[in-house]
């Protein structure tokens, strides 16, 4: 039997008055996220325990957190992109609203949509029900826009002023900001243009992610310095003392990077790469600054990359290969 106008209006009003869920993003990912063979080397159900350092980052993006901005200055192969994708999936399913995701260029946004966002939706039963098949007429599902009940995900590039001012957004995901142009179409800094889209939302969330480039000219570095500057401390498997991982503590015989080990700065124990799993599991984020009170900042190098991804031997090999190439060394 068709619903009356009053019934439709009542249902819409009830949905609008419903409070944000208590589920955190890491809990949502462990329950609903499935990694696709198209986008992951480890397909199957998402496990936050695989990258335990992402738990606090994701949970700072959750509605239960009072923080407004989350900054992630990171190395390669630590799972930052999937962390952002978990946030996107959570918003679609649990806390719908207008969301904008910005890549350095429009072409990169299109590629990311096809290679990561489409699999994110297709592999999750709950998300498939909320985002219609793009082959359906008037589905609202295109390469750069995914409509769902209560919201829309718009993807664009930092090189498009039109895209950056296309809509107001409660949620803003700025990915690889150090790759953004300094000025876009003569309208100014793309980060400021994107941030202006969130001003009307009292409960906005902004996620800023990037691998840093040039010190002193890095957007992510400057934004991180405004935060509480958290670093991930892990215990030595021998003495139990906590420390942050530093490349200076990685050592290897000359021309033998495969034999790289990490030297504990407290007891000088030789730590093997396979010990990293237990170290990461027992690790904890510790702030090193007061910050502005509304921004959580996270700094993580590739040395923390889980076992099976980027190893200390890989870091040593990359360093050896870069000795004769300044750009690689940078």
């Amino acid at each position: 039997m068709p619903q009356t106008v009053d019934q439709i209006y009542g249902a819409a009003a009830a949905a609008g008055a419903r409070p944000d869920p208590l589920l955190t993003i890491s809990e949502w990912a462990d329950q609903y996220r499935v990694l696709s063979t198209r986008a992951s080397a480890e397909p199957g159900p998402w496990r936050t325990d695989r990258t335990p350092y992402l738990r606090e980052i994701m949970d700072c993006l959750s509605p239960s957190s009072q923080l407004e901005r989350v900054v992630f200055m990171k190395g390669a192969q630590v799972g930052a992109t999937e962390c952002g994708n978990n946030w996107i999936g959570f918003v679609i399913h649990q806390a719908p609203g207008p969301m904008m995701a910005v890549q350095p260029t429009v072409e990169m946004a299109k590629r990311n949509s096809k290679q990561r966002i489409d699999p994110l939706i297709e592999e999750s039963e709950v998300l498939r029900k909320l985002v219609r098949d793009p082959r359906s007429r008037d589905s609202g599902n295109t390469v750069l826009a995914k409509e769902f009940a209560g919201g829309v995900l718009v993807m664009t590039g930092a090189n498009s002023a039109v895209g950056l001012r296309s809509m107001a957004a409660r949620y803003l995901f700025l990915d690889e900001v150090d790759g953004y142009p300094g000025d876009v179409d003569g309208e100014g800094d793309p980060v400021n243009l994107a941030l202006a889209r969130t001003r009307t939302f009292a409960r906005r969330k902004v996620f800023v992610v990037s691998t840093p480039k040039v010190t002193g000219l890095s957007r992510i570095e400057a934004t991180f310095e405004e935060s509480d500057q958290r670093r991930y401390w892990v215990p030595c498997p021998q003495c139990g003392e906590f420390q942050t991982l530093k490349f200076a503590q990685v050592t290897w015989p000359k021309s033998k990077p495969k034999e790289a080990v990490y030297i504990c700065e407290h007891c000088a124990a030789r730590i093997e790469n396979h010990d990293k799993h237990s170290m990461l599991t027992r690790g904890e984020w510790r702030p090193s600054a007061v910050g502005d009170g509304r921004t959580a900042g996270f700094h993580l190098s590739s040395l923390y990359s889980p076992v099976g991804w980027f190893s200390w031997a890989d870091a040593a090999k990359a360093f050896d290969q870069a000795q004769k190439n300044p750009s690689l060394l940078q």
Side-chain angles (χ1 to χ4, degrees):
M1 181 177 178
Q3 289 183 310
T4 65
V5 172
D6 288 341
Q7 288 174 324
I8 294 173
Y9 180 83
R18 187 182 302 122
D20 284 332
L22 296 178
L23 200 67
T24 65
I25 293 175
S26 65
E27 291 170 341
W28 180 89
D30 284 330
Q31 186 171 345
Y32 295 108
R33 180 76 198 277
V34 178
L35 296 170
S36 167
T37 55
R38 291 168 51 191
S40 175
E42 298 181 2
W46 169 273
R47 294 175 295 127
T48 302
D49 288 343
R50 186 76 171 100
T51 49
Y53 48 77
L54 294 180
R55 187 184 308 278
E56 187 167 326
I57 299 173
M58 288 189 285
D59 291 351
C60 285
L61 289 166
S62 301
S64 55
S65 169
Q66 297 301 310
L67 292 163
E68 180 179 289
R69 184 171 55 165
V70 178
V71 182
F72 192 9
M73 182 166 68
K74 51 81 181 180
Q77 299 188 47
V78 294
T81 298
E82 295 304 335
C83 177
N85 290 342
N86 286 341
W87 183 37
I88 290 173
F90 175 89
V91 166
I92 294 173
H93 183 212
Q94 296 281 306
M99 184 175 200
M100 178 181 289
V102 184
Q103 294 287 328
T105 67
V106 173
E107 285 305 312
M108 291 178 68
K110 292 178 179 178
R111 189 182 314 125
N112 183 71
S113 176
K114 294 175 182 177
Q115 295 179 351
R116 293 188 179 274
I117 303 305
D118 284 347
L120 163 72
I121 295 168
E122 293 166 5
E123 296 297 327
S124 170
E125 183 178 352
V126 294
L127 297 183
R128 280 200 313 271
K129 294 177 180 178
L130 296 171
V131 182
R132 294 175 61 187
D133 191 309
R135 293 168 293 186
S136 302
R137 175 177 292 185
D138 301 324
S139 68
N141 183 347
T142 66
V143 174
L144 293 178
K146 309 292 182 184
E147 294 182 9
F148 48 92
V152 61
L153 168 66
V154 170
M155 294 161 279
T156 189
N159 63 341
S160 170
V162 173
L164 292 174
R165 49 180 165 77
S166 62
M167 57 174 275
R170 177 184 174 185
Y171 307 107
L172 179 61
F173 180 13
L174 301 173
D175 198 10
E176 292 299 341
V177 294
D178 273 21
Y180 290 8
D183 176 82
V184 53
D185 298 338
E187 297 192 24
D189 181 72
V191 171
N192 289 334
L193 288 177
L195 287 173
R197 302 295 91 204
T198 68
R199 287 176 184 164
T200 57
F201 291 89
R203 299 169 63 198
R204 66 179 179 174
K205 288 282 186 179
V206 180
F207 189 28
V208 189
V209 180
S210 190
T211 300
K213 289 189 176 181
V214 181
T215 298
L217 300 175
S218 169
R219 278 193 179 91
I220 194 69
E221 179 185 45
T223 310
F224 177 76
E225 289 176 352
E226 297 173 357
S227 74
D228 54 10
Q229 301 181 27
R230 307 180 193 192
R231 289 175 170 82
Y232 202 64
W233 291 69
V234 293
C236 169
Q238 301 298 322
C239 69
E241 290 292 329
F242 279 74
Q243 58 206 287
T244 58
L245 298 183
K246 308 174 185 68
F247 186 70
Q249 297 301 117
V250 180
T251 184
W252 63 96
K254 186 176 181 179
S255 302
K256 295 182 179 180
K258 290 184 178 181
E259 298 180 20
V261 295
Y262 192 92
I263 304 299
C264 174
E265 61 187 59
H266 297 286
C267 69
R270 294 167 62 87
I271 306 173
E272 300 288 342
N273 189 75
H274 62 75
D275 291 318
K276 223 184 328 183
H277 178 72
S278 62
M279 295 170 71
L280 293 178
T281 300
R282 297 165 58 198
E284 57 188 47
W285 287 103
R286 298 180 183 177
S288 58
V290 176
D292 61 9
R294 60 187 180 86
T295 305
F298 300 86
H299 179 282
L300 197 78
S301 80
S302 295
L303 295 178
Y304 291 89
S305 183
V307 176
W309 292 12
F310 185 84
S311 68
W312 294 334
D314 292 329
K317 181 180 179 181
F319 183 82
D320 279 350
Q321 293 175 338
Q323 292 306 299
K324 296 181 181 180
N325 188 330
S327 62
L328 290 177
L329 189 60
Q330 177 187 341

